[in-house]
Amino acid sequence: MKGKFITLEGPEGSGKTTVSKELVKILNESGYKVLLTREPGGVDIAEQIRNVILDKKNTKMDARTEALLYAARRQHLVEKVLPALKEGYIVLCDRFVDSSLAYQGVARNLGIDEVYNMNLFAINDVMPDKTLFFDIDYKKGLERIKVNQRETNRLDLEKSDFHKNVYEGYLTICKQYSDRIVKINADQKVEDVVQDALKEIKKILWSKII
Ligand code: TMP
């Protein structure tokens, strides 16, 4: 695989979407080919699945919904991520398997290892070269969503306990995969978060242009 697969993770309102757009601009200016994509979604069928999963009327995350989520992951990986990596792109993916470990594994209580095992068919040994965890207290993240009036989805509307568990789940995963996941302080100005993220990305890039 010639490219680099970098995933961005964090609780709601952690700013990964905003920061990822800035990262694309800077990396592009430095001559890198970058593909910015997201999960659930990224390709047509997976975006349709995203709409079903995040629909506010769909109140339960049952086994069927979970299966759809992982099927969407497989499709996105095969159709978009792997071809881009083969062509030497830096692929920045807003959420990937760690979201499942934190949201389904911990917050929904399905178990980190169990969810990882369920994902094996979807990821087929493809794991990120680096994962940036956007670390912000879950309450501050939820506050940011309110202030920015970002459109809420079904999961945003979960009780505060759920978001607390997501956050704690992420902290557990950070420890479990400490060689791959790096924490970025997301509770600072966007420019500073971008710079911290870039520092980490630079460590795994081939040249030192940026
Ligand atoms: P976002 O893209 O706006 O962050 O919203 C995606 C939502 O989907 C977010 O609440 C996390 C949730 N999600 C899971 O529960 N499991 C997953 O595996 C992924 C990728 C996302």
Side-chain angles (χ1 to χ4, degrees):
M1 207 118 42
K2 288 194 319 197
K4 295 288 180 198
F5 185 26
I6 299 168
T7 56
L8 294 80
E9 295 283 354
E12 316 295 329
S14 56
K16 26 183 198 57
T17 309
T18 310
V19 171
S20 61
K21 288 179 189 152
E22 290 305 309
L23 291 173
V24 174
K25 268 191 228 153
I26 298 173
L27 290 165
N28 277 156
E29 279 161 14
S30 298
Y32 290 101
K33 297 189 288 186
V34 186
L35 171 73
L36 177 60
T37 186
R38 69 171 179 180
E39 275 205 5
V43 291
D44 201 25
I45 183 82
E47 286 289 335
Q48 289 178 40
I49 291 176
R50 177 189 178 94
N51 291 338
V52 174
I53 294 173
L54 298 182
D55 189 335
K56 286 180 202 162
K57 283 180 271 162
N58 178 10
T59 49
K60 30 175 209 194
M61 184 79 183
D62 54 14
R64 179 181 152 271
T65 319
E66 209 193 342
L68 275 178
L69 183 60
Y70 307 151
R73 172 161 298 141
R74 179 78 199 139
Q75 190 66 25
H76 175 235
L77 202 62
V78 169
E79 214 179 289
K80 194 166 181 183
V81 175
L82 293 176
L85 289 173
K86 219 170 159 189
E87 282 179 38
Y89 276 77
I90 296 173
V91 176
L92 291 182
C93 189
D94 190 340
R95 298 195 182 281
F96 188 58
V97 69
D98 297 303
S99 283
S100 303
L101 303 183
Y103 283 77
Q104 280 68 55
V106 179
R108 297 251 180 253
N109 231 345
L110 297 177
I112 293 182
D113 293 339
E114 286 76 1
V115 170
Y116 182 77
N117 286 335
M118 270 191 278
N119 265 276
L120 286 177
F121 89 93
I123 56 180
N124 202 11
D125 276 345
V126 178
M127 283 299 274
D129 295 297
K130 181 67 77 187
T131 297
L132 309 178
F133 170 61
F134 287 71
D135 190 2
I136 187 166
D137 181 77
Y138 70 97
K139 282 189 192 142
K140 280 195 184 167
L142 292 175
E143 208 42 55
R144 272 189 187 170
I145 296 179
K146 258 199 230 155
V147 173
N148 298 341
Q149 297 190 320
R150 193 201 76 176
E151 202 196 328
T152 52
N153 65 43
R154 184 176 58 78
L155 290 168
D156 296 332
L157 301 176
E158 288 279 353
K159 295 193 186 68
S160 179
D161 264 8
F162 176 82
H163 295 289
K164 180 171 183 272
N165 292 340
V166 168
Y167 181 65
E168 283 171 2
Y170 269 126
L171 296 185
T172 305
I173 297 162
C174 282
K175 276 198 203 126
Q176 196 166 328
Y177 296 98
S178 58
D179 48 343
R180 171 175 61 83
I181 308 182
V182 61
K183 279 189 200 168
I184 304 288
N185 176 8
D187 191 8
Q188 46 178 348
K189 282 189 291 182
V190 176
E191 310 87 86
D192 296 336
V193 183
V194 170
Q195 285 312 315
D196 287 356
L198 264 180
K199 252 185 238 159
E200 292 302 328
I201 293 176
K202 273 187 201 174
K203 291 182 188 166
I204 60 157
L205 293 184
W206 315 271
S207 64
K208 307 226 179 300
I209 331 173
I210 52 176

PDB file of all heavy atoms in Angstrom, residues 7-31:
ATOM      1  N   THR A   7      -7.059   8.086  10.383  1.00  0.00           N
ATOM      2  CA  THR A   7      -8.445   8.267  10.793  1.00  0.00           C
ATOM      3  C   THR A   7      -8.553   9.307  11.906  1.00  0.00           C
ATOM      4  O   THR A   7      -7.606   9.501  12.681  1.00  0.00           O
ATOM      5  CB  THR A   7      -9.084   6.933  11.250  1.00  0.00           C
ATOM      6  OG1 THR A   7      -8.296   6.365  12.292  1.00  0.00           O
ATOM      7  CG2 THR A   7      -9.165   5.958  10.101  1.00  0.00           C
ATOM      8  N   LEU A   8      -9.707   9.965  11.936  1.00  0.00           N
ATOM      9  CA  LEU A   8      -9.970  11.008  12.935  1.00  0.00           C
ATOM     10  C   LEU A   8     -11.133  10.539  13.787  1.00  0.00           C
ATOM     11  O   LEU A   8     -12.180  10.152  13.248  1.00  0.00           O
ATOM     12  CB  LEU A   8     -10.314  12.335  12.253  1.00  0.00           C
ATOM     13  CG  LEU A   8      -9.191  12.989  11.450  1.00  0.00           C
ATOM     14  CD1 LEU A   8      -9.040  12.364  10.083  1.00  0.00           C
ATOM     15  CD2 LEU A   8      -9.447  14.454  11.304  1.00  0.00           C
ATOM     16  N   GLU A   9     -10.928  10.556  15.083  1.00  0.00           N
ATOM     17  CA  GLU A   9     -11.945  10.047  15.997  1.00  0.00           C
ATOM     18  C   GLU A   9     -12.200  11.046  17.110  1.00  0.00           C
ATOM     19  O   GLU A   9     -11.328  11.863  17.417  1.00  0.00           O
ATOM     20  CB  GLU A   9     -11.474   8.721  16.618  1.00  0.00           C
ATOM     21  CG  GLU A   9     -11.319   7.569  15.634  1.00  0.00           C
ATOM     22  CD  GLU A   9     -12.658   6.944  15.237  1.00  0.00           C
ATOM     23  OE1 GLU A   9     -13.709   7.326  15.800  1.00  0.00           O
ATOM     24  OE2 GLU A   9     -12.639   6.066  14.354  1.00  0.00           O
ATOM     25  N   GLY A  10     -13.364  10.926  17.724  1.00  0.00           N
ATOM     26  CA  GLY A  10     -13.656  11.797  18.862  1.00  0.00           C
ATOM     27  C   GLY A  10     -15.131  11.839  19.156  1.00  0.00           C
ATOM     28  O   GLY A  10     -15.954  11.393  18.341  1.00  0.00           O
ATOM     29  N   PRO A  11     -15.473  12.389  20.316  1.00  0.00           N
ATOM     30  CA  PRO A  11     -16.892  12.498  20.663  1.00  0.00           C
ATOM     31  C   PRO A  11     -17.583  13.566  19.818  1.00  0.00           C
ATOM     32  O   PRO A  11     -16.932  14.300  19.079  1.00  0.00           O
ATOM     33  CB  PRO A  11     -16.860  12.887  22.143  1.00  0.00           C
ATOM     34  CG  PRO A  11     -15.532  13.518  22.362  1.00  0.00           C
ATOM     35  CD  PRO A  11     -14.585  12.912  21.363  1.00  0.00           C
ATOM     36  N   GLU A  12     -18.891  13.661  19.971  1.00  0.00           N
ATOM     37  CA  GLU A  12     -19.662  14.670  19.235  1.00  0.00           C
ATOM     38  C   GLU A  12     -19.125  16.065  19.576  1.00  0.00           C
ATOM     39  O   GLU A  12     -18.826  16.352  20.739  1.00  0.00           O
ATOM     40  CB  GLU A  12     -21.148  14.633  19.639  1.00  0.00           C
ATOM     41  CG  GLU A  12     -21.776  13.258  19.746  1.00  0.00           C
ATOM     42  CD  GLU A  12     -21.857  12.514  18.431  1.00  0.00           C
ATOM     43  OE1 GLU A  12     -21.999  13.174  17.388  1.00  0.00           O
ATOM     44  OE2 GLU A  12     -21.769  11.274  18.448  1.00  0.00           O
ATOM     45  N   GLY A  13     -18.986  16.900  18.544  1.00  0.00           N
ATOM     46  CA  GLY A  13     -18.563  18.280  18.794  1.00  0.00           C
ATOM     47  C   GLY A  13     -17.075  18.421  19.071  1.00  0.00           C
ATOM     48  O   GLY A  13     -16.623  19.450  19.561  1.00  0.00           O
ATOM     49  N   SER A  14     -16.291  17.406  18.731  1.00  0.00           N
ATOM     50  CA  SER A  14     -14.849  17.488  19.022  1.00  0.00           C
ATOM     51  C   SER A  14     -14.099  18.272  17.947  1.00  0.00           C
ATOM     52  O   SER A  14     -12.913  18.544  18.096  1.00  0.00           O
ATOM     53  CB  SER A  14     -14.243  16.092  19.196  1.00  0.00           C
ATOM     54  OG  SER A  14     -14.486  15.296  18.068  1.00  0.00           O
ATOM     55  N   GLY A  15     -14.782  18.597  16.851  1.00  0.00           N
ATOM     56  CA  GLY A  15     -14.197  19.485  15.838  1.00  0.00           C
ATOM     57  C   GLY A  15     -13.435  18.761  14.734  1.00  0.00           C
ATOM     58  O   GLY A  15     -12.782  19.398  13.908  1.00  0.00           O
ATOM     59  N   LYS A  16     -13.535  17.438  14.681  1.00  0.00           N
ATOM     60  CA  LYS A  16     -12.729  16.736  13.669  1.00  0.00           C
ATOM     61  C   LYS A  16     -13.095  17.114  12.232  1.00  0.00           C
ATOM     62  O   LYS A  16     -12.221  17.177  11.379  1.00  0.00           O
ATOM     63  CB  LYS A  16     -12.740  15.207  13.803  1.00  0.00           C
ATOM     64  CG  LYS A  16     -13.846  14.654  14.403  1.00  0.00           C
ATOM     65  CD  LYS A  16     -13.880  13.180  14.623  1.00  0.00           C
ATOM     66  CE  LYS A  16     -15.305  12.798  14.849  1.00  0.00           C
ATOM     67  NZ  LYS A  16     -16.261  13.140  13.828  1.00  0.00           N
ATOM     68  N   THR A  17     -14.369  17.377  11.993  1.00  0.00           N
ATOM     69  CA  THR A  17     -14.779  17.704  10.626  1.00  0.00           C
ATOM     70  C   THR A  17     -14.170  19.034  10.183  1.00  0.00           C
ATOM     71  O   THR A  17     -13.624  19.148   9.077  1.00  0.00           O
ATOM     72  CB  THR A  17     -16.322  17.722  10.527  1.00  0.00           C
ATOM     73  OG1 THR A  17     -16.799  16.499  11.093  1.00  0.00           O
ATOM     74  CG2 THR A  17     -16.794  17.841   9.104  1.00  0.00           C
ATOM     75  N   THR A  18     -14.235  20.035  11.053  1.00  0.00           N
ATOM     76  CA  THR A  18     -13.658  21.351  10.741  1.00  0.00           C
ATOM     77  C   THR A  18     -12.153  21.233  10.537  1.00  0.00           C
ATOM     78  O   THR A  18     -11.601  21.743   9.549  1.00  0.00           O
ATOM     79  CB  THR A  18     -13.903  22.321  11.934  1.00  0.00           C
ATOM     80  OG1 THR A  18     -15.272  22.270  12.281  1.00  0.00           O
ATOM     81  CG2 THR A  18     -13.488  23.724  11.603  1.00  0.00           C
ATOM     82  N   VAL A  19     -11.490  20.549  11.458  1.00  0.00           N
ATOM     83  CA  VAL A  19     -10.032  20.442  11.394  1.00  0.00           C
ATOM     84  C   VAL A  19      -9.605  19.656  10.150  1.00  0.00           C
ATOM     85  O   VAL A  19      -8.630  20.013   9.476  1.00  0.00           O
ATOM     86  CB  VAL A  19      -9.479  19.785  12.685  1.00  0.00           C
ATOM     87  CG1 VAL A  19      -8.011  19.459  12.544  1.00  0.00           C
ATOM     88  CG2 VAL A  19      -9.712  20.698  13.882  1.00  0.00           C
ATOM     89  N   SER A  20     -10.350  18.623   9.814  1.00  0.00           N
ATOM     90  CA  SER A  20      -9.934  17.790   8.674  1.00  0.00           C
ATOM     91  C   SER A  20      -9.919  18.603   7.372  1.00  0.00           C
ATOM     92  O   SER A  20      -9.039  18.427   6.536  1.00  0.00           O
ATOM     93  CB  SER A  20     -10.819  16.548   8.553  1.00  0.00           C
ATOM     94  OG  SER A  20     -12.147  16.925   8.345  1.00  0.00           O
ATOM     95  N   LYS A  21     -10.870  19.534   7.243  1.00  0.00           N
ATOM     96  CA  LYS A  21     -10.896  20.374   6.025  1.00  0.00           C
ATOM     97  C   LYS A  21      -9.647  21.251   5.947  1.00  0.00           C
ATOM     98  O   LYS A  21      -9.082  21.449   4.871  1.00  0.00           O
ATOM     99  CB  LYS A  21     -12.169  21.229   5.997  1.00  0.00           C
ATOM    100  CG  LYS A  21     -13.400  20.394   5.708  1.00  0.00           C
ATOM    101  CD  LYS A  21     -14.664  21.230   5.716  1.00  0.00           C
ATOM    102  CE  LYS A  21     -15.873  20.310   5.645  1.00  0.00           C
ATOM    103  NZ  LYS A  21     -17.064  20.880   6.282  1.00  0.00           N
ATOM    104  N   GLU A  22      -9.228  21.779   7.088  1.00  0.00           N
ATOM    105  CA  GLU A  22      -8.005  22.598   7.126  1.00  0.00           C
ATOM    106  C   GLU A  22      -6.781  21.754   6.791  1.00  0.00           C
ATOM    107  O   GLU A  22      -5.870  22.198   6.083  1.00  0.00           O
ATOM    108  CB  GLU A  22      -7.831  23.213   8.532  1.00  0.00           C
ATOM    109  CG  GLU A  22      -8.837  24.291   8.874  1.00  0.00           C
ATOM    110  CD  GLU A  22      -8.843  25.410   7.844  1.00  0.00           C
ATOM    111  OE1 GLU A  22      -7.767  25.935   7.522  1.00  0.00           O
ATOM    112  OE2 GLU A  22      -9.941  25.742   7.352  1.00  0.00           O
ATOM    113  N   LEU A  23      -6.771  20.542   7.312  1.00  0.00           N
ATOM    114  CA  LEU A  23      -5.630  19.645   7.053  1.00  0.00           C
ATOM    115  C   LEU A  23      -5.508  19.356   5.551  1.00  0.00           C
ATOM    116  O   LEU A  23      -4.405  19.344   5.003  1.00  0.00           O
ATOM    117  CB  LEU A  23      -5.798  18.326   7.822  1.00  0.00           C
ATOM    118  CG  LEU A  23      -5.668  18.422   9.345  1.00  0.00           C
ATOM    119  CD1 LEU A  23      -6.021  17.085  10.006  1.00  0.00           C
ATOM    120  CD2 LEU A  23      -4.260  18.856   9.760  1.00  0.00           C
ATOM    121  N   VAL A  24      -6.643  19.162   4.914  1.00  0.00           N
ATOM    122  CA  VAL A  24      -6.616  18.884   3.470  1.00  0.00           C
ATOM    123  C   VAL A  24      -5.965  20.045   2.732  1.00  0.00           C
ATOM    124  O   VAL A  24      -5.072  19.857   1.902  1.00  0.00           O
ATOM    125  CB  VAL A  24      -8.046  18.650   2.912  1.00  0.00           C
ATOM    126  CG1 VAL A  24      -8.016  18.508   1.394  1.00  0.00           C
ATOM    127  CG2 VAL A  24      -8.659  17.412   3.530  1.00  0.00           C
ATOM    128  N   LYS A  25      -6.395  21.279   3.081  1.00  0.00           N
ATOM    129  CA  LYS A  25      -5.851  22.479   2.404  1.00  0.00           C
ATOM    130  C   LYS A  25      -4.334  22.523   2.550  1.00  0.00           C
ATOM    131  O   LYS A  25      -3.602  22.692   1.576  1.00  0.00           O
ATOM    132  CB  LYS A  25      -6.436  23.749   3.053  1.00  0.00           C
ATOM    133  CG  LYS A  25      -7.702  24.249   2.389  1.00  0.00           C
ATOM    134  CD  LYS A  25      -8.039  25.642   2.928  1.00  0.00           C
ATOM    135  CE  LYS A  25      -9.506  25.692   3.311  1.00  0.00           C
ATOM    136  NZ  LYS A  25      -9.823  26.661   4.347  1.00  0.00           N
ATOM    137  N   ILE A  26      -3.860  22.371   3.779  1.00  0.00           N
ATOM    138  CA  ILE A  26      -2.416  22.502   4.037  1.00  0.00           C
ATOM    139  C   ILE A  26      -1.632  21.385   3.348  1.00  0.00           C
ATOM    140  O   ILE A  26      -0.590  21.631   2.721  1.00  0.00           O
ATOM    141  CB  ILE A  26      -2.146  22.507   5.563  1.00  0.00           C
ATOM    142  CG1 ILE A  26      -2.828  23.710   6.203  1.00  0.00           C
ATOM    143  CG2 ILE A  26      -0.649  22.521   5.847  1.00  0.00           C
ATOM    144  CD1 ILE A  26      -2.783  23.736   7.713  1.00  0.00           C
ATOM    145  N   LEU A  27      -2.145  20.178   3.440  1.00  0.00           N
ATOM    146  CA  LEU A  27      -1.423  19.050   2.826  1.00  0.00           C
ATOM    147  C   LEU A  27      -1.403  19.181   1.302  1.00  0.00           C
ATOM    148  O   LEU A  27      -0.394  18.907   0.650  1.00  0.00           O
ATOM    149  CB  LEU A  27      -2.052  17.717   3.258  1.00  0.00           C
ATOM    150  CG  LEU A  27      -1.826  17.351   4.730  1.00  0.00           C
ATOM    151  CD1 LEU A  27      -2.772  16.220   5.163  1.00  0.00           C
ATOM    152  CD2 LEU A  27      -0.381  16.948   4.992  1.00  0.00           C
ATOM    153  N   ASN A  28      -2.523  19.635   0.748  1.00  0.00           N
ATOM    154  CA  ASN A  28      -2.586  19.873  -0.703  1.00  0.00           C
ATOM    155  C   ASN A  28      -1.554  20.920  -1.123  1.00  0.00           C
ATOM    156  O   ASN A  28      -0.838  20.751  -2.105  1.00  0.00           O
ATOM    157  CB  ASN A  28      -3.975  20.371  -1.129  1.00  0.00           C
ATOM    158  CG  ASN A  28      -4.969  19.237  -1.330  1.00  0.00           C
ATOM    159  OD1 ASN A  28      -6.161  19.439  -1.229  1.00  0.00           O
ATOM    160  ND2 ASN A  28      -4.489  18.037  -1.593  1.00  0.00           N
ATOM    161  N   GLU A  29      -1.489  22.011  -0.353  1.00  0.00           N
ATOM    162  CA  GLU A  29      -0.527  23.082  -0.667  1.00  0.00           C
ATOM    163  C   GLU A  29       0.910  22.573  -0.622  1.00  0.00           C
ATOM    164  O   GLU A  29       1.787  23.091  -1.300  1.00  0.00           O
ATOM    165  CB  GLU A  29      -0.681  24.252   0.319  1.00  0.00           C
ATOM    166  CG  GLU A  29      -1.831  25.181  -0.053  1.00  0.00           C
ATOM    167  CD  GLU A  29      -2.273  26.053   1.121  1.00  0.00           C
ATOM    168  OE1 GLU A  29      -1.531  26.133   2.126  1.00  0.00           O
ATOM    169  OE2 GLU A  29      -3.382  26.630   1.032  1.00  0.00           O
ATOM    170  N   SER A  30       1.129  21.551   0.184  1.00  0.00           N
ATOM    171  CA  SER A  30       2.479  20.973   0.276  1.00  0.00           C
ATOM    172  C   SER A  30       2.710  19.898  -0.778  1.00  0.00           C
ATOM    173  O   SER A  30       3.734  19.218  -0.751  1.00  0.00           O
ATOM    174  CB  SER A  30       2.691  20.361   1.653  1.00  0.00           C
ATOM    175  OG  SER A  30       2.595  21.344   2.630  1.00  0.00           O
ATOM    176  N   GLY A  31       1.735  19.715  -1.646  1.00  0.00           N
ATOM    177  CA  GLY A  31       1.921  18.808  -2.778  1.00  0.00           C
ATOM    178  C   GLY A  31       1.437  17.384  -2.563  1.00  0.00           C
ATOM    179  O   GLY A  31       1.637  16.520  -3.426  1.00  0.00           O
TER     180      GLY A  31
END
